[in-house]
Amino acid sequence: MTLGSVPLSTVDLQIPDGARRNNTLICAPVMAKTVDQMLVQIKKAKELGADLAEIRVDFLENFSPKQDLEVLIKQSSLPTLVTYRPKWEGGEYDGDESKRQEALRLAMELGSDFIDVELKVAHDFFNSIQGKKPEKVKVIVSSHNYENTPSTEEIANLAARIQATGADIVKIATTALDITDNARMFQVLVHSQVPMIGIVMAERGLMSRVLASKFGGFLTFGSVEAGVVSAPGQPTVKDLLDLYNFRQIGADTKVHGVIGNPIGHSKSPHLYNTAFKSVGFNGIYLPLLVDSVANYISTYSSSDFVGYSYTIPHKEAGLKCCDEIDPIAQAIGAISCMIKRPADGKLIGYNVDYLGAIGAIEEALRGSNGATASASPLAGKLFVVMGAGGAGKALAYGGYEKGARVVVANRSFDKAKELASKVGGQAMTLSELKDFHPEEGMILANTTSVGMKPRTDETPLPKEALKHYSLVFDAIYTPKMTRLLTEAQECGAIIVYGTEMFTNQAYVQFERFTGLPAPKQLIRDTIARNT
């Protein structure tokens, strides 16, 4: 499939020669209530870098087909796709079907580059035009499933049915109930013999929209404004181009990502995609909303899915999916980074939380007391770790390795006790911690999610208890200044941001992902801009 097979040339698209590694178009849906507002949105879509505007005439108030379509098609600053979506297919139109199809025929006559016709009425529509279709106009025949994503075989059969109607372009949109649903769409997309749009909707379907270009999709949709979407899970044009480097994604692009749940808050895609681009590395980094790590890993087993960061709550589940585990990660019982070794495809697990967090805490302590670089300033200190999950294990193990006396406080005492026993430490519940102050100048590290965006008004420890600590570290980095850190600073403690751990981790992970030296200043600047 090439751009030559559609009524758009590289001249029409204003793409500088060699500037893109794929032919997948970015289509911006336009859903304003008036024609004038639509034209303004189309102009903005063009400025943002979209290739095509989907004119959703079902959103127009007082739509007058002949008059409005003529203005929209003739005055559009982008090539046009006219869609008049009925309510029975997820749209806004709830009127006479013959009038709706009449408007689509009119859009063809007026020179729209594409029109969208639903599979349910495609035979009727093609019968009504009796083969008389302007050569320039291409008909997209679409099917939308707002319930789930069927099997690969069912999607392939559906694509064949759509093609059999006479469609120039097949469009299938399904709904992701699990991130593995995208794989079934990719499988059909990559084997399609005709131009195909294959989209999986909802947050778990984001990868289908970004990787459409990798698997040969005809187009993907990007909204003009964040939140103003024509379907669930749609990214913005700006994010597709600037955050995901969409034009540079090719069939051979290596896929990386951060595996977590929730994951929408993660700044890792901003960081790694910017860093990849800066050194010319052919990779993409995605936020991956994963429910079952084992299902994800077994589904995306191809050699192009090569590296992951792990975050809450999947650090321990990730470890179980590794073929080999770094000794430090094995001792901690959790990974934060997984690499697929190119030579044999084996999955290797590492824990770089340990390096990132302990390094940041030591740096802050040295800066405050002028300790020599040879001895760890954590040695002999009472080191209180809140949380006993993956990050908690990394901090407890790291403190123990540096000679600190470790205390583990967790909501569940049994989990706290299990971790504390491994590091020769003391265990207690989080509720007991507020009254725990056997000495002054303790070190506190929070690895729980209490205080993370959007619940930024919460804190895992009352302010009154913070006066006994000389340093407080919070692994949360969204927001950078949590309530815990704000109150610790007010109590006179040195504070260490989660972004410092994130920065130190990033250097190590970037080098593991790419085999190249980390662009340290760029990474630090990118983190500062996005937190």
Side-chain angles (χ1 to χ4, degrees):
M1 183 188 71
T2 66
L3 278 175
S5 66
V6 301
L8 299 173
S9 69
T10 49
V11 176
D12 293 327
L13 299 173
Q14 298 182 323
I15 298 160
D17 190 36
R20 61 195 292 170
R21 300 185 68 245
N22 63 71
N23 292 329
T24 303
L25 307 178
I26 295 178
C27 179
V30 173
M31 303 167 292
K33 292 181 178 180
T34 70
V35 169
D36 287 346
Q37 287 170 344
M38 279 195 168
L39 290 172
V40 168
Q41 285 190 14
I42 294 169
K43 185 167 179 276
K44 188 173 178 188
K46 183 176 183 178
E47 288 166 0
L48 288 167
D51 301 308
L52 178 69
E54 181 185 31
I55 298 172
R56 287 290 302 268
V57 295
D58 49 307
F59 280 85
L60 284 172
E61 291 181 347
N62 306 314
F63 175 46
S64 171
K66 184 155 181 41
Q67 184 182 332
D68 294 348
L69 284 171
E70 182 142 23
V71 172
L72 285 163
I73 293 165
K74 305 290 188 207
Q75 293 186 25
S76 172
S77 50
L78 281 173
T80 54
L81 155 59
V82 172
T83 300
Y84 199 1
R85 190 77 72 220
K87 278 200 181 287
W88 47 261
E89 190 83 6
E92 296 294 307
Y93 180 72
D94 199 18
D96 181 73
E97 178 60 21
S98 61
K99 287 184 179 175
R100 190 180 75 87
Q101 290 191 34
E102 193 179 314
L104 290 171
R105 287 193 294 272
L106 184 59
M108 286 194 340
E109 290 164 22
L110 290 168
S112 180
D113 300 274
F114 304 89
I115 62 160
D116 182 307
V117 178
E118 298 75 20
L119 174 60
K120 189 175 170 182
V121 296
H123 283 293
D124 292 344
F125 182 81
F126 281 112
N127 287 338
S128 76
I129 60 173
Q130 300 177 324
K132 293 173 185 170
K133 175 173 79 70
E135 183 57 33
K136 177 179 183 285
V137 182
K138 300 295 179 187
V139 178
I140 299 170
V141 174
S142 61
S143 169
H144 299 78
N145 179 336
Y146 293 97
E147 302 298 318
N148 56 31
T149 298
S151 68
T152 305
E153 188 181 10
E154 286 172 296
I155 298 171
N157 289 341
L158 179 59
R161 273 179 58 211
I162 292 173
Q163 189 181 347
T165 64
D168 297 303
I169 298 156
V170 170
K171 178 187 175 187
I172 298 175
T174 64
T175 299
L177 303 181
D178 189 271
I179 197 166
T180 57
D181 293 349
N182 296 280
R184 300 199 285 283
M185 187 64 78
F186 292 150
Q187 207 170 338
V188 177
L189 199 56
V190 81
H191 291 108
S192 179
Q193 299 302 303
V194 296
M196 178 175 169
I197 303 161
I199 298 291
V200 186
M201 299 179 284
E203 189 181 358
R204 287 169 175 80
L206 175 68
M207 69 191 306
S208 74
R209 298 175 179 279
V210 178
L211 298 180
S213 46
K214 178 175 173 61
F215 294 103
F218 179 74
L219 64 75
T220 195
F221 293 91
S223 66
V224 175
E225 291 174 49
V228 185
V229 299
S230 62
Q234 209 169 75
T236 61
V237 173
K238 187 177 188 320
D239 277 354
L240 284 170
L241 291 172
D242 297 348
L243 171 55
Y244 298 116
N245 305 324
F246 187 80
R247 303 285 192 222
Q248 279 70 53
I249 299 172
D252 57 348
T253 296
K254 299 299 184 188
V255 181
H256 310 72
V258 52
I259 289 177
N261 189 348
I263 204 60
H265 66 284
S266 178
K267 303 299 181 188
S268 295
H270 291 270
L271 168 63
Y272 291 103
N273 287 319
T274 302
F276 287 172
K277 190 176 184 180
S278 77
V279 299
F281 178 70
N282 184 17
I284 178 75
Y285 189 101
L286 299 166
L288 302 168
L289 180 56
V290 169
D291 297 292
S292 163
V293 175
N295 287 349
Y296 175 88
I297 294 296
S298 63
T299 300
Y300 298 100
S301 58
S302 87
S303 58
D304 278 358
F305 288 77
V306 297
Y308 305 107
S309 312
Y310 278 79
T311 188
I312 295 171
H314 291 319
K315 292 171 186 274
E316 289 151 297
L319 180 125
K320 293 173 185 167
C321 294
C322 294
D323 298 308
E324 291 178 20
I325 302 157
D326 178 79
I328 292 174
Q330 187 77 66
I332 293 167
I335 63 167
S336 62
C337 178
M338 177 189 274
I339 306 293
K340 183 173 285 180
R341 194 161 55 201
D344 56 12
K346 288 198 169 175
L347 297 169
I348 318 301
Y350 302 91
N351 195 309
V352 294
D353 287 346
Y354 156 75
L355 300 169
I358 295 297
I361 291 168
E362 286 184 318
E363 205 174 312
L365 286 171
R366 284 197 181 101
S368 71
N369 61 20
T372 60
S374 56
S376 172
L378 272 170
K381 293 275 190 184
L382 197 59
F383 185 50
V384 179
V385 178
M386 289 191 285
K393 287 177 177 175
L395 268 292
Y397 180 83
Y400 170 69
E401 283 287 292
K402 298 294 183 178
R405 294 169 290 137
V406 179
V407 175
V408 180
N410 190 59
R411 194 169 49 185
S412 151
F413 179 74
D414 287 345
K415 280 193 80 174
K417 189 177 178 184
E418 185 186 349
L419 175 55
S421 68
K422 290 179 180 173
V423 293
Q426 182 180 347
M428 65 181 63
T429 63
L430 281 172
S431 58
E432 290 173 304
L433 186 60
K434 65 179 185 298
D435 299 315
F436 177 76
H437 43 85
E439 61 188 70
E440 299 303 311
M442 300 183 292
I443 311 292
L444 179 68
N446 174 43
T447 70
T448 74
S449 59
V450 179
M452 184 188 284
K453 192 176 179 182
R455 297 185 304 182
T456 55
D457 58 332
E458 296 180 7
T459 182
L461 196 62
K463 184 176 181 179
E464 178 62 23
L466 297 174
K467 64 186 180 187
H468 305 291
Y469 295 90
S470 61
L471 181 145
V472 175
F473 163 79
D474 198 336
I476 291 169
Y477 62 88
T478 48
K480 179 178 178 179
M481 192 66 164
T482 58
R483 180 179 164 190
L484 176 69
L485 291 182
T486 301
E487 293 180 351
Q489 192 173 54
E490 288 166 0
C491 290
I494 301 163
I495 61 168
V496 180
Y497 302 114
T499 49
E500 289 304 308
M501 165 176 146
F502 188 51
T503 303
N504 289 345
Q505 278 177 276
Y507 299 156
V508 180
Q509 286 197 114
F510 177 88
E511 291 174 3
R512 293 246 163 89
F513 289 152
T514 66
L516 300 168
K520 291 188 175 180
Q521 193 55 52
L522 176 85
I523 286 173
R524 194 164 274 284
D525 292 346
T526 305
I527 290 171
R529 267 199 315 275
N530 289 286
T531 51

mmCIF file of all heavy atoms in Angstrom, residues 91-127:
data_model
loop_
_atom_site.group_PDB
_atom_site.id
_atom_site.type_symbol
_atom_site.label_atom_id
_atom_site.label_comp_id
_atom_site.label_asym_id
_atom_site.label_seq_id
_atom_site.Cartn_x
_atom_site.Cartn_y
_atom_site.Cartn_z
ATOM 1 N N GLY A 91 -22.912 7.514 16.355
ATOM 2 C CA GLY A 91 -22.859 8.927 15.981
ATOM 3 C C GLY A 91 -24.000 9.741 16.567
ATOM 4 O O GLY A 91 -24.657 9.326 17.526
ATOM 5 N N GLU A 92 -24.247 10.905 15.960
ATOM 6 C CA GLU A 92 -25.243 11.847 16.477
ATOM 7 C C GLU A 92 -26.517 11.917 15.641
ATOM 8 O O GLU A 92 -27.532 12.408 16.099
ATOM 9 C CB GLU A 92 -24.625 13.267 16.539
ATOM 10 C CG GLU A 92 -23.458 13.405 17.506
ATOM 11 C CD GLU A 92 -23.890 13.229 18.950
ATOM 12 O OE1 GLU A 92 -24.832 13.932 19.384
ATOM 13 O OE2 GLU A 92 -23.310 12.367 19.643
ATOM 14 N N TYR A 93 -26.467 11.437 14.391
ATOM 15 C CA TYR A 93 -27.618 11.595 13.491
ATOM 16 C C TYR A 93 -28.722 10.602 13.831
ATOM 17 O O TYR A 93 -28.471 9.402 13.988
ATOM 18 C CB TYR A 93 -27.182 11.409 12.034
ATOM 19 C CG TYR A 93 -28.324 11.562 11.045
ATOM 20 C CD1 TYR A 93 -28.878 12.813 10.785
ATOM 21 C CD2 TYR A 93 -28.852 10.448 10.383
ATOM 22 C CE1 TYR A 93 -29.922 12.952 9.886
ATOM 23 C CE2 TYR A 93 -29.900 10.579 9.477
ATOM 24 C CZ TYR A 93 -30.431 11.834 9.245
ATOM 25 O OH TYR A 93 -31.462 11.980 8.354
ATOM 26 N N ASP A 94 -29.938 11.123 13.926
ATOM 27 C CA ASP A 94 -31.070 10.272 14.304
ATOM 28 C C ASP A 94 -32.268 10.523 13.391
ATOM 29 O O ASP A 94 -33.402 10.520 13.836
ATOM 30 C CB ASP A 94 -31.450 10.546 15.775
ATOM 31 C CG ASP A 94 -32.285 9.408 16.365
ATOM 32 O OD1 ASP A 94 -32.263 8.311 15.786
ATOM 33 O OD2 ASP A 94 -32.951 9.632 17.388
ATOM 34 N N GLY A 95 -31.987 10.747 12.108
ATOM 35 C CA GLY A 95 -33.074 11.081 11.185
ATOM 36 C C GLY A 95 -33.276 10.042 10.101
ATOM 37 O O GLY A 95 -32.919 8.865 10.260
ATOM 38 N N ASP A 96 -33.819 10.493 8.986
ATOM 39 C CA ASP A 96 -34.168 9.631 7.866
ATOM 40 C C ASP A 96 -32.901 9.089 7.182
ATOM 41 O O ASP A 96 -32.005 9.856 6.813
ATOM 42 C CB ASP A 96 -35.001 10.442 6.859
ATOM 43 C CG ASP A 96 -35.425 9.598 5.680
ATOM 44 O OD1 ASP A 96 -36.307 8.750 5.847
ATOM 45 O OD2 ASP A 96 -34.829 9.778 4.598
ATOM 46 N N GLU A 97 -32.833 7.772 6.988
ATOM 47 C CA GLU A 97 -31.640 7.134 6.434
ATOM 48 C C GLU A 97 -31.403 7.529 4.974
ATOM 49 O O GLU A 97 -30.266 7.727 4.544
ATOM 50 C CB GLU A 97 -31.756 5.610 6.560
ATOM 51 C CG GLU A 97 -30.601 4.819 5.980
ATOM 52 C CD GLU A 97 -29.243 5.117 6.603
ATOM 53 O OE1 GLU A 97 -29.202 5.632 7.750
ATOM 54 O OE2 GLU A 97 -28.206 4.856 5.958
ATOM 55 N N SER A 98 -32.476 7.660 4.205
ATOM 56 C CA SER A 98 -32.292 8.002 2.785
ATOM 57 C C SER A 98 -31.704 9.407 2.630
ATOM 58 O O SER A 98 -30.872 9.647 1.755
ATOM 59 C CB SER A 98 -33.618 7.895 2.019
ATOM 60 O OG SER A 98 -34.569 8.801 2.574
ATOM 61 N N LYS A 99 -32.091 10.317 3.522
ATOM 62 C CA LYS A 99 -31.526 11.679 3.475
ATOM 63 C C LYS A 99 -30.053 11.672 3.862
ATOM 64 O O LYS A 99 -29.248 12.434 3.325
ATOM 65 C CB LYS A 99 -32.310 12.617 4.401
ATOM 66 C CG LYS A 99 -33.679 12.985 3.866
ATOM 67 C CD LYS A 99 -34.375 13.975 4.771
ATOM 68 C CE LYS A 99 -35.749 14.339 4.192
ATOM 69 N NZ LYS A 99 -36.510 15.212 5.099
ATOM 70 N N ARG A 100 -29.708 10.818 4.798
ATOM 71 C CA ARG A 100 -28.317 10.717 5.222
ATOM 72 C C ARG A 100 -27.438 10.222 4.074
ATOM 73 O O ARG A 100 -26.385 10.806 3.788
ATOM 74 C CB ARG A 100 -28.213 9.755 6.425
ATOM 75 C CG ARG A 100 -26.853 9.751 7.116
ATOM 76 C CD ARG A 100 -26.849 8.773 8.285
ATOM 77 N NE ARG A 100 -26.787 7.393 7.841
ATOM 78 C CZ ARG A 100 -25.654 6.730 7.577
ATOM 79 N NH1 ARG A 100 -24.501 7.339 7.713
ATOM 80 N NH2 ARG A 100 -25.688 5.472 7.185
ATOM 81 N N GLN A 101 -27.904 9.174 3.391
ATOM 82 C CA GLN A 101 -27.117 8.645 2.271
ATOM 83 C C GLN A 101 -27.077 9.629 1.100
ATOM 84 O O GLN A 101 -26.072 9.715 0.385
ATOM 85 C CB GLN A 101 -27.677 7.294 1.827
ATOM 86 C CG GLN A 101 -27.431 6.195 2.854
ATOM 87 C CD GLN A 101 -27.750 4.802 2.326
ATOM 88 O OE1 GLN A 101 -27.559 4.520 1.138
ATOM 89 N NE2 GLN A 101 -28.227 3.932 3.205
ATOM 90 N N GLU A 102 -28.143 10.375 0.942
ATOM 91 C CA GLU A 102 -28.183 11.410 -0.107
ATOM 92 C C GLU A 102 -27.085 12.451 0.148
ATOM 93 O O GLU A 102 -26.401 12.903 -0.774
ATOM 94 C CB GLU A 102 -29.570 12.079 -0.090
ATOM 95 C CG GLU A 102 -29.868 12.939 -1.294
ATOM 96 C CD GLU A 102 -31.272 13.541 -1.196
ATOM 97 O OE1 GLU A 102 -32.222 12.798 -0.858
ATOM 98 O OE2 GLU A 102 -31.382 14.758 -1.425
ATOM 99 N N ALA A 103 -26.907 12.817 1.419
ATOM 100 C CA ALA A 103 -25.869 13.797 1.775
ATOM 101 C C ALA A 103 -24.476 13.240 1.482
ATOM 102 O O ALA A 103 -23.587 13.976 1.025
ATOM 103 C CB ALA A 103 -25.991 14.170 3.253
ATOM 104 N N LEU A 104 -24.269 11.942 1.710
ATOM 105 C CA LEU A 104 -22.967 11.329 1.426
ATOM 106 C C LEU A 104 -22.704 11.296 -0.084
ATOM 107 O O LEU A 104 -21.573 11.521 -0.536
ATOM 108 C CB LEU A 104 -22.898 9.921 2.013
ATOM 109 C CG LEU A 104 -22.832 9.841 3.545
ATOM 110 C CD1 LEU A 104 -22.985 8.404 4.027
ATOM 111 C CD2 LEU A 104 -21.515 10.426 4.068
ATOM 112 N N ARG A 105 -23.753 11.016 -0.875
ATOM 113 C CA ARG A 105 -23.591 11.041 -2.343
ATOM 114 C C ARG A 105 -23.237 12.456 -2.807
ATOM 115 O O ARG A 105 -22.401 12.650 -3.677
ATOM 116 C CB ARG A 105 -24.870 10.558 -3.034
ATOM 117 C CG ARG A 105 -25.095 9.062 -2.917
ATOM 118 C CD ARG A 105 -26.171 8.561 -3.860
ATOM 119 N NE ARG A 105 -27.488 9.087 -3.528
ATOM 120 C CZ ARG A 105 -28.334 8.511 -2.670
ATOM 121 N NH1 ARG A 105 -27.971 7.398 -2.039
ATOM 122 N NH2 ARG A 105 -29.511 9.038 -2.431
ATOM 123 N N LEU A 106 -23.853 13.433 -2.177
ATOM 124 C CA LEU A 106 -23.583 14.840 -2.503
ATOM 125 C C LEU A 106 -22.127 15.195 -2.172
ATOM 126 O O LEU A 106 -21.453 15.880 -2.949
ATOM 127 C CB LEU A 106 -24.551 15.732 -1.712
ATOM 128 C CG LEU A 106 -24.496 17.239 -1.973
ATOM 129 C CD1 LEU A 106 -24.768 17.542 -3.446
ATOM 130 C CD2 LEU A 106 -25.518 17.956 -1.105
ATOM 131 N N ALA A 107 -21.648 14.706 -1.048
ATOM 132 C CA ALA A 107 -20.251 14.960 -0.659
ATOM 133 C C ALA A 107 -19.293 14.407 -1.716
ATOM 134 O O ALA A 107 -18.274 15.026 -2.034
ATOM 135 C CB ALA A 107 -19.965 14.331 0.697
ATOM 136 N N MET A 108 -19.641 13.251 -2.280
ATOM 137 C CA MET A 108 -18.821 12.675 -3.356
ATOM 138 C C MET A 108 -18.829 13.587 -4.584
ATOM 139 O O MET A 108 -17.777 13.878 -5.148
ATOM 140 C CB MET A 108 -19.369 11.288 -3.759
ATOM 141 C CG MET A 108 -19.057 10.223 -2.754
ATOM 142 S SD MET A 108 -19.314 8.514 -3.351
ATOM 143 C CE MET A 108 -20.380 8.644 -4.731
ATOM 144 N N GLU A 109 -20.000 14.021 -4.949
ATOM 145 C CA GLU A 109 -20.132 14.880 -6.140
ATOM 146 C C GLU A 109 -19.378 16.198 -5.976
ATOM 147 O O GLU A 109 -18.815 16.744 -6.931
ATOM 148 C CB GLU A 109 -21.615 15.176 -6.421
ATOM 149 C CG GLU A 109 -22.400 13.978 -6.923
ATOM 150 C CD GLU A 109 -23.917 14.190 -6.826
ATOM 151 O OE1 GLU A 109 -24.346 15.354 -6.773
ATOM 152 O OE2 GLU A 109 -24.653 13.181 -6.763
ATOM 153 N N LEU A 110 -19.352 16.692 -4.738
ATOM 154 C CA LEU A 110 -18.701 17.985 -4.475
ATOM 155 C C LEU A 110 -17.182 17.861 -4.320
ATOM 156 O O LEU A 110 -16.497 18.864 -4.139
ATOM 157 C CB LEU A 110 -19.301 18.618 -3.208
ATOM 158 C CG LEU A 110 -20.750 19.117 -3.354
ATOM 159 C CD1 LEU A 110 -21.339 19.458 -1.992
ATOM 160 C CD2 LEU A 110 -20.804 20.336 -4.279
ATOM 161 N N GLY A 111 -16.686 16.630 -4.386
ATOM 162 C CA GLY A 111 -15.236 16.453 -4.418
ATOM 163 C C GLY A 111 -14.556 16.139 -3.108
ATOM 164 O O GLY A 111 -13.342 16.356 -2.980
ATOM 165 N N SER A 112 -15.295 15.621 -2.137
ATOM 166 C CA SER A 112 -14.618 15.185 -0.913
ATOM 167 C C SER A 112 -13.649 14.064 -1.278
ATOM 168 O O SER A 112 -13.940 13.238 -2.149
ATOM 169 C CB SER A 112 -15.636 14.678 0.107
ATOM 170 O OG SER A 112 -14.981 14.261 1.279
ATOM 171 N N ASP A 113 -12.490 14.023 -0.657
ATOM 172 C CA ASP A 113 -11.486 13.012 -0.985
ATOM 173 C C ASP A 113 -11.929 11.623 -0.550
ATOM 174 O O ASP A 113 -11.645 10.631 -1.211
ATOM 175 C CB ASP A 113 -10.157 13.378 -0.315
ATOM 176 C CG ASP A 113 -9.654 14.729 -0.775
ATOM 177 O OD1 ASP A 113 -8.977 14.772 -1.813
ATOM 178 O OD2 ASP A 113 -9.965 15.746 -0.118
ATOM 179 N N PHE A 114 -12.618 11.562 0.609
ATOM 180 C CA PHE A 114 -13.114 10.305 1.147
ATOM 181 C C PHE A 114 -14.514 10.515 1.702
ATOM 182 O O PHE A 114 -14.840 11.610 2.156
ATOM 183 C CB PHE A 114 -12.248 9.808 2.322
ATOM 184 C CG PHE A 114 -10.793 9.639 2.013
ATOM 185 C CD1 PHE A 114 -9.912 10.696 2.177
ATOM 186 C CD2 PHE A 114 -10.301 8.416 1.587
ATOM 187 C CE1 PHE A 114 -8.557 10.546 1.919
ATOM 188 C CE2 PHE A 114 -8.946 8.256 1.325
ATOM 189 C CZ PHE A 114 -8.074 9.324 1.485
ATOM 190 N N ILE A 115 -15.308 9.448 1.692
ATOM 191 C CA ILE A 115 -16.541 9.438 2.482
ATOM 192 C C ILE A 115 -16.554 8.126 3.276
ATOM 193 O O ILE A 115 -15.922 7.153 2.872
ATOM 194 C CB ILE A 115 -17.828 9.573 1.632
ATOM 195 C CG1 ILE A 115 -17.966 8.395 0.661
ATOM 196 C CG2 ILE A 115 -17.899 10.904 0.925
ATOM 197 C CD1 ILE A 115 -19.384 8.209 0.177
ATOM 198 N N ASP A 116 -17.250 8.137 4.398
ATOM 199 C CA ASP A 116 -17.342 6.957 5.262
ATOM 200 C C ASP A 116 -18.774 6.440 5.238
ATOM 201 O O ASP A 116 -19.721 7.178 5.517
ATOM 202 C CB ASP A 116 -16.929 7.352 6.697
ATOM 203 C CG ASP A 116 -16.940 6.164 7.664
ATOM 204 O OD1 ASP A 116 -17.974 5.461 7.745
ATOM 205 O OD2 ASP A 116 -15.928 5.959 8.350
ATOM 206 N N VAL A 117 -18.911 5.162 4.891
ATOM 207 C CA VAL A 117 -20.227 4.511 4.851
ATOM 208 C C VAL A 117 -20.173 3.292 5.771
ATOM 209 O O VAL A 117 -19.209 2.519 5.716
ATOM 210 C CB VAL A 117 -20.585 4.059 3.408
ATOM 211 C CG1 VAL A 117 -21.927 3.341 3.398
ATOM 212 C CG2 VAL A 117 -20.601 5.237 2.456
ATOM 213 N N GLU A 118 -21.176 3.115 6.602
ATOM 214 C CA GLU A 118 -21.197 2.005 7.556
ATOM 215 C C GLU A 118 -21.508 0.681 6.830
ATOM 216 O O GLU A 118 -22.315 0.647 5.897
ATOM 217 C CB GLU A 118 -22.245 2.248 8.642
ATOM 218 C CG GLU A 118 -21.977 3.491 9.479
ATOM 219 C CD GLU A 118 -22.302 4.808 8.759
ATOM 220 O OE1 GLU A 118 -23.075 4.779 7.762
ATOM 221 O OE2 GLU A 118 -21.770 5.849 9.180
ATOM 222 N N LEU A 119 -20.878 -0.395 7.290
ATOM 223 C CA LEU A 119 -21.057 -1.708 6.669
ATOM 224 C C LEU A 119 -22.529 -2.093 6.570
ATOM 225 O O LEU A 119 -22.964 -2.655 5.555
ATOM 226 C CB LEU A 119 -20.298 -2.764 7.491
ATOM 227 C CG LEU A 119 -20.502 -4.233 7.067
ATOM 228 C CD1 LEU A 119 -20.063 -4.463 5.631
ATOM 229 C CD2 LEU A 119 -19.755 -5.162 8.016
ATOM 230 N N LYS A 120 -23.281 -1.770 7.581
ATOM 231 C CA LYS A 120 -24.712 -2.157 7.635
ATOM 232 C C LYS A 120 -25.496 -1.673 6.407
ATOM 233 O O LYS A 120 -26.453 -2.319 5.977
ATOM 234 C CB LYS A 120 -25.322 -1.590 8.925
ATOM 235 C CG LYS A 120 -26.727 -2.061 9.242
ATOM 236 C CD LYS A 120 -27.147 -1.525 10.601
ATOM 237 C CE LYS A 120 -28.620 -1.763 10.866
ATOM 238 N NZ LYS A 120 -29.037 -1.208 12.167
ATOM 239 N N VAL A 121 -25.101 -0.525 5.863
ATOM 240 C CA VAL A 121 -25.853 0.046 4.721
ATOM 241 C C VAL A 121 -24.995 0.138 3.459
ATOM 242 O O VAL A 121 -25.410 0.743 2.468
ATOM 243 C CB VAL A 121 -26.395 1.457 5.074
ATOM 244 C CG1 VAL A 121 -27.401 1.376 6.216
ATOM 245 C CG2 VAL A 121 -25.270 2.420 5.416
ATOM 246 N N ALA A 122 -23.808 -0.466 3.481
ATOM 247 C CA ALA A 122 -22.882 -0.308 2.349
ATOM 248 C C ALA A 122 -23.464 -0.835 1.037
ATOM 249 O O ALA A 122 -23.330 -0.192 -0.016
ATOM 250 C CB ALA A 122 -21.557 -1.007 2.658
ATOM 251 N N HIS A 123 -24.106 -2.020 1.074
ATOM 252 C CA HIS A 123 -24.680 -2.571 -0.171
ATOM 253 C C HIS A 123 -25.729 -1.634 -0.742
ATOM 254 O O HIS A 123 -25.755 -1.367 -1.952
ATOM 255 C CB HIS A 123 -25.273 -3.966 0.083
ATOM 256 C CG HIS A 123 -24.228 -5.035 0.190
ATOM 257 N ND1 HIS A 123 -23.439 -5.416 -0.887
ATOM 258 C CD2 HIS A 123 -23.830 -5.793 1.246
ATOM 259 C CE1 HIS A 123 -22.595 -6.365 -0.489
ATOM 260 N NE2 HIS A 123 -22.813 -6.614 0.801
ATOM 261 N N ASP A 124 -26.599 -1.108 0.123
ATOM 262 C CA ASP A 124 -27.625 -0.159 -0.331
ATOM 263 C C ASP A 124 -26.966 1.062 -0.960
ATOM 264 O O ASP A 124 -27.401 1.549 -2.007
ATOM 265 C CB ASP A 124 -28.496 0.320 0.854
ATOM 266 C CG ASP A 124 -29.364 -0.795 1.406
ATOM 267 O OD1 ASP A 124 -29.514 -1.818 0.705
ATOM 268 O OD2 ASP A 124 -29.879 -0.647 2.541
ATOM 269 N N PHE A 125 -25.918 1.563 -0.306
ATOM 270 C CA PHE A 125 -25.266 2.776 -0.792
ATOM 271 C C PHE A 125 -24.633 2.540 -2.163
ATOM 272 O O PHE A 125 -24.817 3.337 -3.092
ATOM 273 C CB PHE A 125 -24.205 3.253 0.207
ATOM 274 C CG PHE A 125 -23.541 4.529 -0.218
ATOM 275 C CD1 PHE A 125 -24.146 5.761 0.009
ATOM 276 C CD2 PHE A 125 -22.326 4.506 -0.904
ATOM 277 C CE1 PHE A 125 -23.552 6.938 -0.416
ATOM 278 C CE2 PHE A 125 -21.718 5.670 -1.332
ATOM 279 C CZ PHE A 125 -22.335 6.894 -1.085
ATOM 280 N N PHE A 126 -23.895 1.431 -2.303
ATOM 281 C CA PHE A 126 -23.248 1.165 -3.591
ATOM 282 C C PHE A 126 -24.280 0.907 -4.696
ATOM 283 O O PHE A 126 -24.071 1.292 -5.848
ATOM 284 C CB PHE A 126 -22.261 -0.015 -3.470
ATOM 285 C CG PHE A 126 -20.951 0.378 -2.849
ATOM 286 C CD1 PHE A 126 -20.593 -0.088 -1.589
ATOM 287 C CD2 PHE A 126 -20.070 1.229 -3.515
ATOM 288 C CE1 PHE A 126 -19.382 0.279 -1.008
ATOM 289 C CE2 PHE A 126 -18.854 1.596 -2.931
ATOM 290 C CZ PHE A 126 -18.508 1.123 -1.677
ATOM 291 N N ASN A 127 -25.396 0.269 -4.339
ATOM 292 C CA ASN A 127 -26.473 0.081 -5.318
ATOM 293 C C ASN A 127 -27.034 1.419 -5.771
ATOM 294 O O ASN A 127 -27.363 1.617 -6.941
ATOM 295 C CB ASN A 127 -27.610 -0.775 -4.730
ATOM 296 C CG ASN A 127 -27.221 -2.232 -4.605
ATOM 297 O OD1 ASN A 127 -26.306 -2.685 -5.301
ATOM 298 N ND2 ASN A 127 -27.904 -2.975 -3.732
#
